[in-house]
Amino acid sequence: MGRRSIALAAFLWLATTPAHAAGSGIPMLDKDGAPQGSAKVSLEKGSVKVTATLALLPATIDTGTEQFEAHIYKAYLVSSTDPAVEIPLATVYPTALGKVAMKATLKGDVSAMGLDRVVIVAFSKDGISSFDVLTGTLVAP
């Protein structure tokens, strides 16, 4: 492995470790993989801060297979390996400019629960339809 390869590998490792990723935040990606905001999460401290851009409510959400009208957005910490593990964080409402900002303090260490994603989910008026509008994947240690 050449010097450039080693330097690149070291840079990529540093950029993806939690200590370094936390400074810039976790990108909140839409269904197409485009960043629409960021989240700062500390599972040990039980703190979550999300800033993002969302469509104004009510919003027509294109899931890729269907469309539905979203009437509410909710933020969660979830486990991708165990769907029963989730922590509701907040109901979020975009401003007139489509910006959202939420902060949650869980007042405890939740690092042993297997949580690895922060998501913003859009729900239909009747609550039957939902779709993960934005997803941020926490970097594993």
Side-chain angles (χ1 to χ4, degrees):
M1 196 183 283
R3 281 189 172 150
R4 283 187 171 188
S5 297
I6 292 172
L8 179 60
F11 172 76
L12 291 173
W13 178 81
L14 285 172
T16 59
T17 57
H20 299 279
S24 60
I26 299 160
M28 295 295 291
L29 306 176
D30 63 16
K31 73 175 181 64
D32 299 321
Q36 299 297 327
S38 65
K40 291 188 179 184
V41 179
S42 172
L43 296 177
E44 294 80 18
K45 293 179 183 177
S47 66
V48 180
K49 182 179 178 183
V50 176
T51 56
T53 302
L54 294 169
L56 298 178
L57 294 170
T60 301
I61 304 295
D62 179 13
T63 67
T65 58
E66 65 175 328
Q67 292 191 357
F68 73 94
E69 191 171 291
H71 285 266
I72 196 162
Y73 295 114
K74 294 186 180 218
Y76 297 90
L77 273 174
V78 299
S79 169
S80 60
T81 58
D82 185 354
V85 177
E86 72 176 24
I87 297 175
L89 298 173
T91 301
V92 292
Y93 300 96
T95 65
L97 299 174
K99 303 294 183 188
V100 296
M102 60 112 327
K103 184 187 280 189
T105 305
L106 306 173
K107 299 183 181 175
D109 183 352
V110 295
S111 61
M113 294 180 63
L115 301 164
D116 61 356
R117 292 186 304 147
V118 58
V119 297
I120 296 180
V121 181
F123 289 92
S124 62
K125 188 173 186 175
D126 59 9
I128 293 174
S129 299
S130 67
F131 183 70
D132 292 359
V133 179
L134 299 178
T135 303
T137 302
L138 283 58
V139 179

